[in-house]
Amino acid sequence: MNILDIVGINMRFGGLMALADISFNVVKGEILGLIGPNGAGKSTMFNCISGVLKPTSGDMLFETGNRKIRINGYKPEKMTYLGVARTFQNVRLFSALTVLDNVRIGRHCRTRSNFFGAVLRTRSQKEEEQRIVDESINWLKFVGLDKFAFLTAGGLSYGFQRKLEIARSLATDPSLLLLDEPAAGMNPKETKSLVELIHSISDLGITVILIEHDMKLVMGICKRLVVLDHGVMIAQGGPRAIRENPKVIEAYLGRGAADA
Ligand code: ADP
Ligand code: MG
């Protein structure tokens, strides 16, 4: 069963085809790798799936509540509500807020009350707020950041900020999580712990699409990969087939992305 079908997606920016007739499926429960050189269109693909961009043409079908719906043109909030969460290539956090509050903001999309509102709160609102705090702490525990809950997010190391972003996206209760270069800028120890985290996210039953330049990491985690180059899908398949694919070697692996 596929959680997402990408069918002939085109994304045009003026004269540039950032995505040209891209089609692939994402199987429920898998960790799918999305790789390719800089400018290939990987982040643009995430922007289309998460509702940041509306594709110029093509279809995106997302499975929710046992049916497939066409999500083209849905707004980001709607996609979050339907179960798609993401992190960004460049960390986006509220750096002046606490670590805990950054996760609470993610959690609030599943509740009625507004994070920034409500001075006069009813008892049920207070109870709901307590529940949100408890759930947020649980997500911080899950990524290993609970001991930093009351520090400001901006004070965390880069690797921890990336993990916090993951905790925030998990707090929205996704069925599909899009990770855009989560290991970028991490040291080997942080990367190792990230790999464990991605596996435990997958163990929760969450489907993951992973954009990553660290070939050792992505080939180790993903059983299936999709390769883009200049907006075109040049290959898809298992790690071994991708590593040996002449087109992929020519466009990407042979050009500094090695270590595969
Ligand atoms: P990748 O993530 O694979 O490095 P991107 O998806 O970020 O690549 O970019 C693919 C191409 O689309 C690049 O040439 C980039 O400059 C262009 N691009 C991405 N987003 C926009 C945008 N919002 N407006 C115009 N061009 C864009
Ligand atoms: Mg990118």
Side-chain angles (χ1 to χ4, degrees):
M1 173 63 128
N2 299 330
I3 191 167
L4 180 68
D5 300 314
I6 302 294
V7 190
I9 285 292
N10 292 294
M11 183 73 230
R12 177 191 290 278
F13 296 116
L16 173 80
M17 284 302 278
L19 296 172
D21 197 21
I22 303 295
S23 299
F24 63 90
N25 303 318
V26 184
V27 181
K28 221 178 197 177
E30 79 173 328
I31 308 174
L32 177 72
L34 184 58
I35 64 171
N38 284 328
K42 306 178 298 296
S43 294
T44 300
M45 193 70 246
F46 274 11
N47 286 335
C48 290
I49 298 168
S50 62
V52 173
L53 289 171
K54 184 179 181 192
T56 311
S57 60
D59 269 330
M60 298 183 293
L61 304 170
F62 182 68
E63 199 250 40
T64 173
N66 279 326
R67 62 195 185 101
K68 280 274 174 63
I69 58 170
R70 190 168 178 268
I71 56 169
N72 304 36
Y74 279 17
K75 294 277 173 287
E77 310 83 68
K78 173 92 176 174
M79 291 315 301
T80 308
Y81 178 77
L82 287 175
V84 175
R86 73 174 298 179
T87 63
F88 290 89
Q89 191 169 341
N90 303 306
V91 175
R92 292 190 192 177
L93 291 167
F94 295 98
S95 52
L97 295 184
T98 64
V99 167
L100 175 62
D101 283 348
N102 271 276
V103 182
R104 281 168 72 187
I105 289 165
R107 191 63 215 149
H108 264 275
C109 82
R110 290 280 167 227
T111 57
R112 277 160 293 143
S113 56
N114 183 318
F115 179 76
F116 294 104
V119 177
L120 289 168
R121 289 186 295 180
T122 63
R123 186 164 156 203
S124 79
Q125 278 174 320
K126 279 185 190 152
E127 283 170 2
E128 182 168 51
E129 202 52 53
Q130 188 55 48
R131 228 178 12 253
I132 290 168
V133 168
D134 294 344
E135 286 163 353
S136 301
I137 294 276
N138 280 339
W139 284 120
L140 284 175
K141 280 189 187 141
F142 185 79
V143 304
L145 292 180
D146 48 308
K147 55 182 174 295
F148 304 124
F150 301 103
L151 300 183
T152 53
L156 291 180
S157 73
Y158 189 66
F160 284 163
Q161 290 195 18
R162 286 212 165 266
K163 280 192 168 177
L164 175 54
E165 228 194 353
I166 294 175
R168 186 181 59 190
S169 41
L170 289 170
T172 67
D173 242 339
S175 53
L176 174 64
L177 177 64
L178 313 174
L179 298 174
D180 198 343
E181 299 194 24
M186 284 192 173
N187 63 39
K189 196 175 149 216
E190 290 170 331
T191 304
K192 188 166 173 276
S193 128
L194 175 74
V195 168
E196 284 163 18
L197 178 59
I198 295 173
H199 281 299
S200 39
I201 290 169
S202 181
D203 289 343
L204 294 176
I206 297 171
T207 308
V208 178
I209 310 181
L210 174 64
I211 295 178
E212 191 46 66
H213 282 298
D214 183 331
M215 282 305 110
K216 213 171 137 218
L217 188 159
V218 79
M219 296 282 188
I221 295 185
C222 303
K223 294 195 179 65
R224 222 162 59 84
L225 300 109
V226 166
V227 190
L228 302 183
D229 179 37
H230 286 102
V232 176
M233 193 173 102
I234 57 169
Q236 67 171 319
R240 172 175 290 193
I242 293 297
R243 255 191 236 115
E244 292 168 358
N245 184 310
K247 272 192 189 166
V248 179
I249 294 169
E250 161 67 18
Y252 185 45
L253 295 182
R255 302 191 175 194
D259 304 323

